[in-house]
Amino acid sequence: MKNKEIKIRGFHLDQFGHVNNIRYPEMLEEARYDFFDQFPGFFTRVQKMGYYLPLTEIHIYYRKAAFLDDILDIRTRISSLGEASGTIHQTATIKGTDRIILEADVTFVAVNLKTGKRAPIEGDLSAEIASVINGCDE
């Protein structure tokens, strides 16, 4: 699991003084980039295999509000891998607390670069994604 800290700034806030819900997907995306940065060349290797891994769904479960100067601690991990899709689970808490601000489940699929169609996650592709899952267990 990889953590990303993001400090809440004024431009994140809405008229009520808490983080506008439209800003959270941006923060979660930044945390996912940080997560995959710890696996250099991952997406290049996936592409060389003939695939890409687009996101198809994002479900965000808002729990509590975050406010100016709060520091969000966003934890990211691949929580499941199936035959045709995988799920990235993300949890944002206020740094140093157990106060959950949100949880998100982000679904990705494999798409064959030649056909543009969904492809099964198997063989070398499955092993490559599993290496990310196993790399987070350490």
Side-chain angles (χ1 to χ4, degrees), residues 77-133:
R77 65 184 173 88
I78 297 177
S79 59
S80 67
L81 185 61
E83 293 177 8
S85 66
T87 302
I88 300 168
H89 184 75
Q90 296 181 277
T91 304
T93 59
I94 299 296
K95 182 180 177 183
T97 74
D98 291 332
R99 183 174 161 213
I100 296 174
I101 300 301
L102 66 82
E103 292 183 85
D105 288 310
V106 182
T107 303
F108 64 90
V109 298
V111 173
N112 183 300
L113 286 169
K114 289 180 184 173
T115 66
K117 295 183 179 182
R118 283 178 76 157
I121 298 174
E122 59 189 11
D124 290 343
L125 179 59
S126 178
E128 185 66 38
I129 298 169
S131 74
V132 170
I133 295 169

Side-chain angles (χ1 to χ4, degrees), residues 7-136:
K7 185 172 182 174
I8 302 304
R9 308 288 185 181
F11 66 90
H12 293 124
L13 305 179
D14 63 17
Q15 69 271 27
F16 302 109
H18 51 66
V19 175
N20 187 319
N21 64 351
I22 198 66
R23 294 303 206 162
Y24 287 114
E26 295 169 346
M27 294 176 197
L28 294 171
E29 183 174 25
E30 185 174 343
R32 285 192 305 276
Y33 271 94
D34 253 30
F35 172 79
F36 283 104
D37 281 350
Q38 70 182 324
F39 304 98
F42 171 77
F43 288 109
T44 301
R45 290 187 299 277
V46 168
Q47 186 176 8
K48 284 181 179 177
M49 289 178 209
Y51 303 98
Y52 71 104
L53 303 173
L55 304 182
T56 58
E57 296 179 42
I58 299 176
H59 296 273
I60 300 175
Y61 311 96
Y62 299 100
R63 305 286 188 220
K64 305 271 185 205
F67 300 93
L68 186 66
D69 294 330
D70 283 345
I71 298 174
L72 296 185
D73 183 15
I74 303 175
R75 292 181 298 278
T76 301
R77 65 184 173 88
I78 297 177
S79 59
S80 67
L81 185 61
E83 293 177 8
S85 66
T87 302
I88 300 168
H89 184 75
Q90 296 181 277
T91 304
T93 59
I94 299 296
K95 182 180 177 183
T97 74
D98 291 332
R99 183 174 161 213
I100 296 174
I101 300 301
L102 66 82
E103 292 183 85
D105 288 310
V106 182
T107 303
F108 64 90
V109 298
V111 173
N112 183 300
L113 286 169
K114 289 180 184 173
T115 66
K117 295 183 179 182
R118 283 178 76 157
I121 298 174
E122 59 189 11
D124 290 343
L125 179 59
S126 178
E128 185 66 38
I129 298 169
S131 74
V132 170
I133 295 169
N134 296 333
C136 290

